[in-house]
Amino acid sequence: MDFLPYLEEEYRLHPLDQNEDDVKWAYQVSFGAEHLLKDFAEAESYFHEEFLATKPSKNLALFEAISPTLLRVNIAPFKANGYPEEELFELFLRSASLAKPHPDEFEDLVSLVSSFLKEKKGQSAQEEFDRFVVSYRQEGIHPLHHSEAYTKAYSPHYRLVDQEEFAAFLAEL
């Protein structure tokens, strides 16, 4: 699969991406969000708290495609459109259960990011990213939070949802 258009779009939408945001993107594309469901009660509680705390807004896109099969569905416009909270949680649950881990894909995506950074930002950006990845790997491949810079700039509140699941949801409206 060609993931370069998705990486380019990620940088177009979020030019303040940091190294951890790039690794988070690669992780999400490769592993989905199943890790969030290890403690179902905690995941459900956190989702409802985040949904409640997020102000409705139509200033964001309803979703962002991060791969050929996966979307980040933004909570603020989801709420602003009057879509039910439980629907997003159910979409997230079904999507997490559909996701199959692809560790080899993760390595390919990390390499893609490294090459992309060299081309777009220069060799020093690539080297900084590569050093970050070496440090990251020392703790094993694991999910990350968005960087502080990303969080301040974009206030991300979303759930990962399978594109086909989301298309079916929209078709039922």
Side-chain angles (χ1 to χ4, degrees):
M1 285 186 201
D2 184 11
F3 291 99
L4 182 58
Y6 298 95
L7 179 59
E8 290 172 334
E9 181 68 0
E10 180 66 20
Y11 265 84
R12 188 187 71 73
L13 293 172
H14 309 110
L16 298 178
D17 270 9
Q18 304 293 305
N19 293 327
E20 53 261 60
D21 304 305
D22 294 332
V23 172
K24 181 179 184 72
W25 170 78
Y27 186 93
Q28 287 178 332
V29 170
S30 303
F31 297 102
E34 189 174 6
H35 67 278
L36 294 174
L37 298 176
K38 289 183 179 172
D39 183 335
F40 179 83
E42 183 179 321
E44 184 176 33
S45 175
Y46 182 75
F47 169 79
H48 292 299
E49 288 172 20
E50 185 176 7
F51 197 94
L52 182 64
T54 302
K55 293 180 182 170
S57 172
K58 291 191 177 183
N59 292 333
L60 287 172
L62 179 57
F63 61 87
E64 300 165 18
I66 65 168
S67 81
T69 60
L70 199 58
L71 305 172
R72 289 176 177 166
V73 176
N74 291 308
I75 293 174
F78 194 89
K79 283 179 75 170
N81 282 300
Y83 301 144
E85 178 177 352
E86 282 304 316
E87 285 292 330
L88 182 54
F89 188 69
E90 289 298 320
L91 285 165
F92 164 68
L93 288 178
R94 285 194 306 273
S95 299
S97 69
L98 291 172
K100 304 289 185 253
H102 299 285
D104 293 341
E105 188 173 80
F106 176 78
E107 297 304 328
D108 292 344
L109 292 173
V110 167
S111 293
L112 176 67
V113 170
S114 181
S115 298
F116 176 83
L117 288 173
K118 182 177 184 181
E119 180 183 318
K120 300 295 183 186
K121 293 187 173 186
Q123 187 166 344
S124 64
Q126 178 194 31
E127 290 171 354
E128 181 183 323
F129 176 76
D130 291 346
R131 283 191 298 274
F132 177 84
V133 170
V134 167
S135 174
Y136 165 81
R137 283 191 177 118
Q138 289 175 347
E139 299 174 28
I141 306 300
H142 60 281
L144 293 172
H145 293 288
H146 281 293
S147 67
E148 185 176 331
Y150 187 104
T151 301
K152 282 183 181 180
Y154 309 116
S155 188
H157 298 285
Y158 60 81
R159 286 300 175 276
L160 295 178
V161 174
D162 178 84
Q163 285 195 26
E164 290 181 9
E165 289 287 325
F166 197 64
F169 163 73
L170 292 176
E172 290 177 9
L173 297 178

